[in-house]
Amino acid sequence: GKKVAEGLETQLPALEKDAKVLAEKQAAARSASSWYGSERPKWLGPLQGSYQYPEYLTGTVAGDYAFDPLRLASDPAKFARNYECELLHARWAMLAVVGALIPEALAMGGVELGEPIWWKVGYAKLSGDLTLNYAGIEGFRIAGKQGIWAILACQLVLMGGPEYARYVGIKSLEPVGIFLPGNPNYPGSQLFDPLGFSNDAEKFAEQSVMEIKNGRIAMLAFLGYAVQAAVTRKGPLENLLDFVADPAQNNIFAYI
């Protein structure tokens, strides 16, 4: 570990210089982009009329549509924290939305998973000796009632690990030989950006907006999954197929 840290220390001046240059390019790209700044799209669009947008929302971050009716962003420190939390939840929601669909789709295709419906898995694991066969791969499973603790441990490692690494900051990972050139929201490096999307400043500015927009939709989508599960007692894919088969009968009005 000491040799790794020493090896990184010799490279730090060049790495920090490159990171500074990249940060300047990204800032310039945001200034030139139509998605940022005072001329960016705002939530009311042509219907603004005499409405005055909050003066503290200046379009410096991705996805700022000047929407803050509760003035939650009026305090800069709280705004920074709230934006970080929104981005975090948006990213996990995008994974969750897809993760809830894939097992159900595999089960409909004939793959034996044990329990494919996302909201039934926890109860099934706690109430019986259900064997979960992940992705239909024989042997890649967590079996029996005790599996719930193994699932929890996996969640802590797979979700908590990356978030902790991101949260502790740029300098904290240098002793283990990892240099993060970005910031806590967009750390960069091979660890958080293996495909190097952030190296193209113009595309990165646009992709940051796309990310938060899709993440917000994903958060709403998963809320929809939960409401549908509570009302119909089915999985999201089955609900969709029911609607496609008979939109006139299988819709929200059937449950009101």
Side-chain angles (χ1 to χ4, degrees):
K2 184 177 180 181
K3 289 184 178 180
V4 170
E6 290 175 349
L8 177 63
E9 189 174 352
T10 61
Q11 303 175 46
L12 271 181
L15 291 172
E16 290 176 342
K17 181 180 179 181
D18 291 343
K20 183 179 179 180
V21 171
L22 181 59
E24 291 173 350
K25 288 182 179 178
Q26 291 174 347
R30 288 193 297 271
S31 298
S33 173
S34 60
W35 293 105
Y36 300 82
S38 58
E39 300 302 315
R40 71 195 185 282
K42 301 180 180 68
W43 71 280
L44 280 175
L47 302 178
Q48 177 184 355
S50 60
Y51 177 79
Q52 295 297 314
Y53 293 112
E55 70 284 351
Y56 51 83
L57 292 177
T58 58
T60 56
V61 300
D64 177 1
Y65 287 88
F67 179 78
D68 186 23
L70 301 180
R71 298 186 65 83
L72 298 176
S74 57
D75 183 314
K78 289 183 178 179
F79 173 63
R81 177 58 180 161
N82 288 338
Y83 185 77
E84 179 182 2
C85 289
E86 181 186 32
L87 198 54
L88 183 155
H89 284 86
R91 288 166 175 167
W92 288 118
M94 286 187 281
L95 290 172
V97 165
V98 177
L101 289 176
I102 289 177
E104 193 176 355
L106 289 173
M108 288 182 176
V111 179
E112 178 56 44
L113 300 174
E115 178 51 70
I117 308 301
W118 71 271
W119 60 271
K120 295 182 180 179
V121 173
Y123 176 76
K125 288 295 291 180
L126 289 170
S127 61
D129 292 326
L130 173 69
T131 295
L132 294 179
N133 203 5
Y134 284 91
I137 302 173
E138 187 66 26
F140 185 35
R141 57 176 56 174
I142 300 172
K145 295 179 182 178
Q146 294 76 18
I148 196 71
W149 300 108
I151 292 174
L152 177 60
C154 289
Q155 291 287 84
L156 288 174
V157 172
L158 295 176
M159 296 181 70
E163 286 305 331
Y164 177 76
R166 180 193 61 78
Y167 181 75
V168 294
I170 306 302
K171 295 293 183 182
S172 299
L173 294 178
E174 289 180 6
V176 294
I178 299 174
F179 176 75
L180 303 179
N183 56 64
N185 287 337
Y186 305 98
S189 81
Q190 289 297 312
L191 184 62
F192 288 97
D193 184 19
L195 299 180
F197 288 128
S198 60
N199 294 332
D200 187 321
E202 288 76 18
K203 287 185 178 180
F204 179 65
E206 184 176 350
Q207 287 168 344
S208 298
V209 176
M210 294 166 60
E211 179 188 37
I212 192 64
K213 288 171 68 175
N214 284 285
R216 287 166 178 168
I217 293 172
M219 287 188 282
L220 290 173
F222 206 88
L223 176 62
Y225 284 9
V227 172
Q228 283 184 321
V231 173
T232 68
R233 316 305 293 174
K234 297 178 180 179
L237 191 55
E238 185 177 359
N239 279 317
L240 175 62
L241 295 177
D242 287 347
F243 174 76
V244 171
D246 189 358
Q249 297 296 325
N250 298 317
N251 56 55
I252 188 173
F253 298 106
Y255 297 92
I256 295 178

